[in-house]
Structure formats: structure tokens, C-alpha cells
Amino acid sequence: MTTPQYSRVLLKLSGEALMGDGQYGVDREVVRRIAREIKDIVDSGVQVAIVIGGGNIFRGMAKAAEGMDRATADYMGMLATVMNALAVQDALEHLGLPTRVLSALHIEQVAEPYIRRRAIRHLEKGRVVIFGAGTGNPFFTTDTAASLRAVEINAELVLKGTKVDGVYTDDPVTHPEAMRYRELSYNQVLEQNLQVMDATAITLCRDNDMPIIVFSINKSGALMRVMLGEEEGTSVRREIP
């Protein structure tokens, strides 16, 4: 194995990535597989922080949330992300990786409060850090939380783990002829309204020169290949002269 090209990264996982073939909830085997992929890169010397969405849980409560105040629904979604963070923490610790969940909402019985310097110290000590509850504010997505936390902890890269192996010209499921982009600029993503991350998250990465790589979390070894600098997924970076 060659040396990883990055020393500290932030991995953004959608809640749906934890569902497996289910309609909602957490598939334990899927979580264990993702945990093993994370352990491989941690063992290679990479410091890893994680942000997880809550769609797999909140989707199951969608009917209950219909007609609900937006801020209230968003807070429910934040709590769902904490549940996912605890599930991933459990899987990682079963593999022997010390892991800390830091929540933007104060839930001291199950997670530490988010403090930037504490998060960085955990990473320096070799612990995996999972950020729960998004930014702690309604009206912001977990994509934005991932970009914000990546900038705050001085990560070198945001990894967006999805169900497909990059960004395509169209939906590759319904349009087999769709082509995968190898590289995009932040402005191309914004101008073409490509579904990489929401506009706020992309703008935050652009303004802080934070590169993004979109790859398939379901593809075995893809995470490690990204760490080794191999071509994998779609890279989103600043404008190329």
C-alpha cells in the first residue's frame, strides 16, 4: 500500500446509505461494511471525521411530519442524525476504533457537545469524530453541515459517499447513456444545478477552497482508492486556469 494523499478528511454519508435495501431504518450489515472501509483508511494514518444525514429515519416519519412547522421538522431531522451517528459509532467501536459523537444539539447523555477545539483534539489522538445534529440550526442541510465542519477542523477534503460512483450528466439509473464527469469546478456545479450538494454547501467549499470528491460508498475499496489519490468518482475543485 502506498502512502495516503490526505491526512485529515471529512466523510459525508447520506442517511439513505445506511438503509441497504430497506425502505427506512438502519441495515446493520451495511453499517458494518462501511465501518470496515473507514477502519482501513484510519489504519493507514488518515484522521477521519463524519457527518451523516437522517433521511433513512425521517423518511419513516414523513407522514407524521406533513403540515408540520418547518423548524420543528428540521429539529426532528437533526435528532435522526444523532441516532445514525450512534449506530455508526457502535459499529466502529466494535472494530476497535475509538469514536466520539459530537452533537450540535446538547444531548449530554449520549453525545459530547460540539466544540471545535475538542473535535480537533480527538482527531489528533486518532479518534474518529462523528458530527451529529447538523449545524444545530433549522433550514440548513447536513451537506452544509459537512462543508462547515470540514472548514472548521481544517480538513483537506470533503468526501461525499453516495449510491452512484460520481456525478453524471443525467440519472444513470434511468438514463444508461449518461456520462460521468471526472472533474468539475464549483461554478459548473452551481450553474448547471448538478445534484452534488446543495448550493450553500458548494459555495462554502468554493469560498474556502475545499475540494470535494463524490464517490460510491457501496463500491468496495473506493474510499481507500480516493485516499491513495487514484482516479475514483468525480472531483469538484476550483477553476482550472
Side-chain angles (χ1 to χ4, degrees):
M1 181 183 297
T2 57
T3 304
Q5 301 297 300
Y6 306 92
S7 58
R8 180 181 296 168
V9 300
L10 186 138
L11 173 62
K12 169 58 170 63
L13 296 172
S14 66
E16 287 82 354
L18 308 183
M19 292 192 310
D21 295 327
Q23 295 300 308
Y24 57 87
V26 175
D27 184 316
R28 291 296 299 160
E29 185 49 47
V30 169
V31 175
R32 282 192 287 265
R33 179 184 55 76
I34 293 173
R36 289 192 293 269
E37 299 266 343
I38 294 170
K39 184 178 188 302
D40 286 343
I41 68 169
V42 172
D43 288 346
S44 73
V46 180
Q47 297 175 11
V48 179
I50 306 171
V51 170
I52 312 172
N56 58 317
I57 294 173
F58 198 64
R59 176 182 293 178
M61 306 186 304
K63 287 293 183 183
E66 285 182 1
M68 186 178 291
D69 175 76
R70 168 67 189 275
T72 300
D74 281 358
Y75 280 117
M76 291 171 66
M78 290 180 217
L79 294 174
T81 71
V82 175
M83 294 171 68
N84 283 336
L86 293 174
V88 174
Q89 179 188 40
D90 180 76
L92 289 169
E93 290 191 332
H94 269 85
L95 295 175
L97 283 180
T99 306
R100 299 291 185 270
V101 174
L102 274 61
S103 172
L105 297 178
H106 287 209
I107 319 174
E108 284 87 350
Q109 289 87 344
V110 296
E112 298 177 22
Y114 170 70
I115 299 172
R116 174 179 174 268
R117 289 182 180 272
R118 178 181 291 178
I120 293 173
R121 186 60 176 153
H122 283 320
L123 291 167
E124 290 172 344
K125 285 182 171 291
R127 298 164 184 153
V128 176
V129 174
I130 307 177
F131 298 116
T135 66
N137 301 288
F139 309 106
F140 291 92
T141 67
T142 50
D143 279 348
T144 297
S147 298
L148 176 63
R149 297 292 184 244
V151 173
E152 286 185 300
I153 66 172
N154 302 315
E156 297 167 292
L157 177 70
V158 171
L159 295 153
K160 177 72 182 288
T162 68
K163 292 184 176 182
V164 294
D165 62 341
V167 183
Y168 281 77
T169 54
D170 211 324
D171 185 345
V173 176
T174 56
H175 296 80
E177 74 283 0
M179 302 292 290
R180 178 173 63 86
Y181 293 103
R182 291 180 56 192
E183 194 170 47
L184 289 164
S185 70
Y186 303 112
N187 287 339
Q188 283 177 308
V189 171
L190 293 170
E191 291 165 4
Q192 298 178 40
N193 195 29
L194 298 173
Q195 301 303 304
V196 176
M197 303 171 87
D198 67 79
T200 304
I202 293 294
T203 301
L204 187 57
C205 286
R206 181 192 65 186
D207 293 349
N208 291 277
D209 198 17
M210 177 67 64
I212 306 164
I213 293 182
V214 183
F215 72 105
S216 173
I217 194 63
N218 296 324
K219 187 177 178 182
S220 179
L223 182 54
M224 178 58 79
R225 285 192 289 276
V226 173
M227 292 299 95
L228 297 178
E230 298 178 14
E231 183 183 331
E232 188 70 46
T234 300
S235 172
V236 182
R237 301 177 185 273
R238 63 172 175 248
E239 296 286 355
I240 301 170

